Amino acid sequence: GEFSVHYQPQVDARGNRIVGAEALARWQHPQLGAQSPTEFIKVLEDSGLILEVGTWILDEACGAFAQLIADGLVDPLNFSLCVNISPRQFRQNDFVERVEHSLKQHGLPFSLLKLEITEGIVIQNLEDTIAKMHQLTAMGVSFAMDDFGTGYSSLTHLKRLPVDTLKIDQSFVRDAINDPNDAEIIRAIVAMAHSLQLKVVAEGVERQQQLQFLQSLECHIYQGYLHSRPV
């Protein structure tokens, strides 16, 4: 009972409207206090416990949003609930059924859910990954490529994967207004996303200048401390 799920809003800067939220695991240890996800998620991955916790996070997020929808606070047809999926989770034989069960159990439209995957998932078993992604997209679930630009296989596989969103990693966003190289990488990612008819979301936006730069490139959807911490 020490884990909880927090949600970081995703905002469309054109109307300052919340259009989605990313579910993020948090661990409040009774003696040690708040633990860093960068450390404990790795332990969950390495130990295999990520399978149990990952299923719990998905279910917890679906339950929370079923309540928000019931309370009239979220329009289920114009919102993305984003949940990160680990490579181990994705490799489960019954992964598609687990996702389907969570959505059906809470009476959510499948189009509400956007699963965030990283390149690590893709390169481990490409054919299995693509097959599962197509099964889920046929049901209405969508996919985002997380931490885009930090790996090495994206371009090779991107055209084969049914993703509809690229997420620009915060490591590029952080220094974009001071580092010309980061600015160029972001410019290239946004241009490529537009040419492939993909949505693009910037992570880690903390300052108004960063948002202004992103908007100048027609990247309008962002998440980060500028708007809100995960809550």
Side-chain angles (χ1 to χ4, degrees):
E2 294 169 18
F3 282 129
S4 63
V5 183
H6 288 206
Y7 302 90
Q8 185 166 46
Q10 295 178 339
V11 181
D12 187 334
R14 286 166 293 195
N16 203 31
R17 212 164 41 86
I18 296 175
V19 293
E22 181 180 356
L24 296 161
R26 293 291 180 262
W27 181 17
Q28 186 71 26
H29 190 283
Q31 282 83 44
L32 304 174
Q35 298 298 295
S36 166
T38 51
E39 290 173 19
F40 76 74
I41 294 288
K42 187 179 186 317
V43 176
L44 291 174
E45 279 278 3
D46 294 345
S47 65
L49 284 169
I50 194 70
L51 298 180
E52 202 176 330
V53 176
T55 299
W56 175 80
I57 290 169
L58 177 62
D59 210 51
E60 186 78 5
C62 286
F65 272 79
Q67 188 60 56
L68 287 171
I69 290 165
D71 293 344
L73 295 169
V74 167
D75 174 0
L77 302 179
N78 288 295
F79 199 91
S80 294
L81 169 58
C82 305
V83 179
N84 295 284
I85 299 298
S86 82
R88 277 193 181 220
Q89 273 179 284
F90 212 92
R91 288 202 303 273
Q92 289 173 295
N93 290 334
D94 63 346
F95 175 69
V96 173
E97 289 75 19
R98 283 169 183 261
V99 174
E100 186 178 13
H101 177 262
S102 280
L103 288 163
K104 282 185 171 171
Q105 185 184 14
H106 296 287
L108 294 175
F110 281 60
S111 59
L112 179 78
L113 183 64
K114 188 182 289 288
L115 299 178
E116 296 196 0
I117 61 170
T118 59
E119 294 165 57
I121 288 177
V122 174
I123 59 177
Q124 285 181 4
N125 190 340
L126 187 61
E127 299 310 321
D128 179 62
T129 299
I130 291 172
K132 283 176 177 164
M133 288 176 77
H134 278 299
Q135 278 180 274
L136 285 161
T137 52
M139 297 174 187
V141 174
S142 59
F143 285 90
M145 180 69 82
D146 201 11
D147 303 339
F148 188 77
T150 58
Y152 51 84
S153 62
S154 306
L155 297 178
T156 325
H157 300 135
L158 195 56
K159 61 184 180 184
R160 292 192 60 195
L161 298 172
V163 298
D164 75 358
T165 303
L166 299 183
K167 294 194 79 177
I168 302 173
D169 189 67
Q170 59 186 352
S171 61
F172 301 126
V173 174
R174 190 179 300 120
D175 297 322
I177 47 182
N178 302 317
D179 186 332
N181 290 332
D182 283 341
E184 282 307 317
I185 289 169
I186 291 175
R187 195 172 275 117
I189 292 172
V190 173
M192 185 176 66
H194 288 162
S195 67
L196 294 170
Q197 272 90 51
L198 300 174
K199 299 176 197 132
V200 60
V201 177
E203 293 184 303
V205 177
E206 297 182 356
R207 294 156 65 188
Q208 194 63 42
Q209 299 101 300
Q210 294 166 335
L211 181 58
Q212 286 167 346
F213 169 69
L214 290 161
Q215 285 198 274
S216 74
L217 302 178
E218 299 291 310
C219 173
H220 299 290
I221 299 176
Y222 75 97
Q223 61 186 86
Y225 288 4
L226 178 64
H227 184 272
S228 173
R229 291 172 175 267
V231 289

